[in-house]
Amino acid sequence: MKSKSKLLPKPKPNRRAGIHMRGHRGHPVVCKALIRYLRWLRANFEFPIRVPVYLFPNEMITKRDGSECSASFVAPFDRKAEPFIRIATGDYDMLRRARGRDNALAAYLGSLSHEVIHYRQWIETGNLWEEGVIKKAYAMVDRYALTVDHP
């Protein structure tokens, strides 16, 4: 299901596009699972403006306002600049003990999906909102789960 952007002009040939993993400092098991998921995302969704995904070894990410979160989408004001996604992976071992491997990794897939939904909002409208994002993120992970045995 590829969607077309309503606001963006046709991409210029030299404009970078796609979603890519950067900052392989995150937990190696999470990194491998997210790389597999990114391949699926690229095959099923368009990413007209490049969005790197940075993994961090910390349990939380500190945002500009000082608050903490497990994942974030940073949308630039300039629509010609590239946005980025950050995901904290430092709590993987704790999540794995509490939920099991597959459910722990599914939590990271859900976090990435949540931020991809925000990316798509930004691409399509230039705005971000939370209403309905969790439901769409779960649906995205559920679609992926139909194609794999384990995250």
Side-chain angles (χ1 to χ4, degrees):
M1 172 172 117
K2 301 229 180 196
S3 68
K4 296 194 178 189
S5 172
K6 297 174 186 172
L7 293 179
L8 292 177
K10 290 189 178 194
K12 296 179 182 176
N14 62 352
R15 182 164 197 143
R16 297 188 325 166
I19 185 168
H20 301 276
M21 183 77 70
R22 295 289 178 256
H24 293 270
R25 299 179 307 169
H27 195 287
V29 174
V30 176
C31 184
K32 288 177 184 176
L34 290 178
I35 287 172
R36 288 190 301 271
Y37 187 51
L38 286 175
R39 285 186 191 122
W40 180 84
L41 286 172
R42 280 187 218 107
N44 289 279
F45 299 95
E46 289 183 357
F47 294 88
I49 297 177
R50 182 184 189 101
V51 58
V53 177
Y54 296 100
L55 299 186
F56 292 88
N58 313 14
E59 289 185 17
M60 299 297 272
I61 296 169
T62 304
K63 297 190 319 188
R64 282 187 180 180
D65 65 5
S67 64
E68 292 187 326
C69 60
S70 60
S72 69
F73 171 70
V74 178
F77 290 110
D78 180 2
R79 305 236 335 135
K80 294 176 185 171
E82 292 179 355
F84 59 92
I85 294 171
R86 301 181 302 165
I87 300 176
T89 64
D91 60 349
Y92 171 71
D93 290 326
M94 185 268 305
L95 282 175
R96 183 181 47 79
R97 283 190 298 275
R99 301 180 185 179
R101 179 192 178 278
D102 288 357
N103 289 332
L105 291 175
Y108 292 101
L109 301 182
S111 291
L112 177 55
S113 298
H114 185 107
E115 304 313 328
V116 167
I117 298 296
H118 284 311
Y119 165 85
R120 293 170 57 84
Q121 291 171 341
W122 180 74
I123 290 292
E124 292 170 6
T125 70
N127 297 313
L128 305 176
W129 60 90
E130 286 297 326
E131 185 178 340
V133 173
I134 293 172
K135 184 177 180 180
K136 288 179 183 178
Y138 282 140
M140 194 179 288
V141 173
D142 288 346
R143 272 186 61 198
Y144 174 67
L146 295 174
T147 68
V148 295
D149 292 331
H150 300 283

